[in-house]
Amino acid sequence: MGRRKGRKWNQASNGTHIMTQQQLRDCYSINEHLGSENRCTEYKNGPGFIRHGFRENVAKYVCGFVNSQQNGKLLIGVNDDGIVTGYDCSHRDEDLVRREVDEAVKDLEPQIFPQDYSVRFVPVINEDGHQMGNLKVIEIIVNGEVIDKKDVLYQNKQGVFMRCDGSIQVLKGAAIQEWSRRKFQQRYQPEIDKLKKNEQNYVKDLQNKESEIRQLNEKLEQKNAAAQQLASNQENEEDLRNKDQKIRELEEELEKKNEAIRKMEETASVFTHVNEEQNGANGAEGNSEVIKTLGRLEDMLQKQQKSKICVIS
């Protein structure tokens, strides 16, 4: 079994993980079992894959790794069971493979850059640890995690591809719409949740403000009612003052009339006395005049008494 480098992952400054030279293998051993294919690893035996549609196939797998946002590896020279078989590749063949890979990557839209992928030719050794001629494993490595554009789908001339567990899947209309919906939700859902929470807070604040306004309106109505009552009381007090003034005036007038009545009564008393003194001297004729005078005085007294009663009522 050949010597291997450690397969650790370091964290880059932007928080993602990238593969460094120290984490890549120096060699593979013939018939070595590498495990099963997964979302990040694809195996191809070699001859048929390279000779028939190599550029298109590489573009498809690179597109799938990038859209899956995974650090992916396409290993050529490993069969579907994960057994290292190697691929006979001279230096001249290496140059051809590199050019084909570069052209395949150029087919992607949006474009990815040289630092986003790499091509390696790793020697295959036998059980004794000797390199087996030009037998190699071709590693096409895609640093999908560090590619900036996470909210777009990459495509090539064949369409849009997504890497699934152990396979590559072409995305069409409905699948692309679903991907876009999930990406939108993933990107904006926190903001949407925040807006919904803010909306709930705003609604609650609005309800509180409406309650405060109702309370203020109730207090205002109470104050208006109190003001109206106060104004009514002031009007009543003014009316009472006017009535008191009127009563005082009537009482003064009544007092004056009473005084006049007293004077008339005194006058009547005088006339009565005179009448009694002249009763014998003047005879019947004098009595008649006195009686008439007394009658007039009596009428005046009655009128004064009636006027007094009306004023008091």
Side-chain angles (χ1 to χ4, degrees):
M1 190 71 64
R3 181 171 58 87
R4 304 179 187 180
K5 292 286 185 180
R7 302 178 69 91
K8 297 180 180 178
W9 294 84
N10 289 334
Q11 192 164 7
S13 59
N14 62 358
T16 60
H17 295 87
I18 60 174
M19 191 178 294
T20 65
Q21 290 296 325
Q22 289 75 19
Q23 295 159 355
L24 300 176
R25 295 179 60 146
D26 289 332
C27 61
Y28 288 88
S29 297
I30 191 69
N31 297 325
E32 177 185 353
H33 186 257
L34 302 181
S36 302
E37 294 179 331
N38 53 46
R39 188 180 294 269
C40 300
T41 307
E42 176 73 22
Y43 301 143
K44 293 299 175 182
N45 199 29
F49 183 77
I50 290 179
R51 293 170 185 168
H52 304 289
F54 178 66
R55 174 176 171 176
E56 290 77 9
N57 288 327
V58 169
K60 181 171 64 175
Y61 282 101
V62 171
C63 181
F65 284 132
V66 172
N67 284 333
S68 300
Q69 298 176 6
Q70 299 284 339
N71 291 328
K73 287 197 302 182
L74 175 61
L75 301 182
I76 303 170
V78 181
N79 65 22
D80 292 338
D81 295 326
I83 304 298
V84 175
T85 58
Y87 177 73
D88 193 356
C89 185
S90 65
H91 291 297
R92 180 175 177 275
D93 294 332
E94 290 181 7
D95 292 337
L96 293 174
V97 169
R98 288 183 192 277
R99 284 198 297 270
E100 286 294 303
V101 171
D102 290 340
E103 292 300 320
V105 170
K106 289 179 182 179
D107 290 341
L108 265 66
E109 294 180 0
Q111 183 180 2
I112 66 173
F113 300 97
Q115 65 268 25
D116 297 328
Y117 70 99
S118 61
V119 181
R120 298 180 69 244
F121 301 88
V122 183
V124 176
I125 61 174
N126 59 23
E127 294 179 356
D128 296 329
H130 296 107
Q131 183 173 343
M132 299 178 65
N134 289 329
L135 208 61
K136 299 168 186 173
V137 171
I138 303 173
E139 294 181 345
I140 301 175
I141 302 170
V142 179
N143 295 320
E145 288 187 355
V146 299
I147 295 176
D148 291 335
K149 295 181 180 179
K150 304 296 185 182
D151 298 323
V152 298
L153 280 175
Y154 286 77
Q155 63 179 352
N156 58 26
K157 295 178 180 180
Q158 305 168 81
V160 178
F161 296 90
M162 183 74 69
R163 179 69 180 171
C164 300
D165 290 337
S167 65
I168 199 78
Q169 177 183 356
V170 60
L171 298 184
K172 295 186 178 179
I176 293 174
Q177 290 178 358
E178 177 63 17
W179 183 91
S180 300
R181 186 191 68 80
R182 291 185 181 183
K183 275 295 178 183
F184 178 87
Q185 186 176 22
Q186 180 182 355
R187 180 174 181 178
Y188 295 105
Q189 191 61 45
E191 188 67 23
I192 292 173
D193 294 339
K194 182 179 179 181
L195 291 174
K196 288 182 178 178
K197 185 176 180 180
N198 290 339
E199 181 184 10
Q200 293 173 354
N201 292 334
Y202 292 148
V203 170
K204 187 176 180 180
D205 290 343
L206 180 61
Q207 292 173 346
N208 292 335
K209 294 297 182 183
E210 289 176 348
S211 177
E212 292 177 1
I213 291 173
R214 286 194 297 270
Q215 294 176 3
L216 290 174
N217 286 334
E218 291 174 359
K219 291 181 179 179
L220 181 61
E221 290 176 357
Q222 293 174 359
K223 289 184 177 181
N224 288 336
Q228 292 175 356
Q229 184 64 35
L230 180 60
S232 177
N233 293 338
Q234 291 175 346
E235 291 177 357
N236 292 336
E237 290 177 358
E238 181 67 21
D239 186 50
L240 288 174
R241 285 194 294 271
N242 293 334
K243 288 181 178 179
D244 288 341
Q245 179 66 26
K246 186 67 176 177
I247 290 172
R248 285 193 296 271
E249 292 174 356
L250 291 174
E251 287 177 345
E252 291 176 357
E253 183 178 354
L254 180 61
E255 182 65 25
K256 291 178 181 180
K257 289 183 178 181
N258 287 336
E259 181 66 22
I261 289 171
R262 282 194 298 271
K263 289 180 179 181
M264 289 179 182
E265 288 176 346
E266 291 176 357
T267 302
S269 176
V270 171
F271 274 107
T272 302
H273 181 71
V274 170
N275 181 48
E276 289 176 353
E277 290 180 352
Q278 293 181 354
N279 196 19
N282 295 329
E285 183 178 356
N287 289 337
S288 176
E289 291 297 326
V290 171
I291 289 170
K292 290 180 180 180
T293 301
L294 291 175
R296 287 194 297 272
L297 290 172
E298 186 177 0
D299 290 339
M300 290 176 64
L301 289 173
Q302 289 177 354
K303 289 180 179 180
Q304 291 293 333
Q305 290 294 333
K306 289 181 179 179
S307 175
K308 181 177 179 180
I309 292 171
C310 290
V311 170
I312 294 173
S313 62

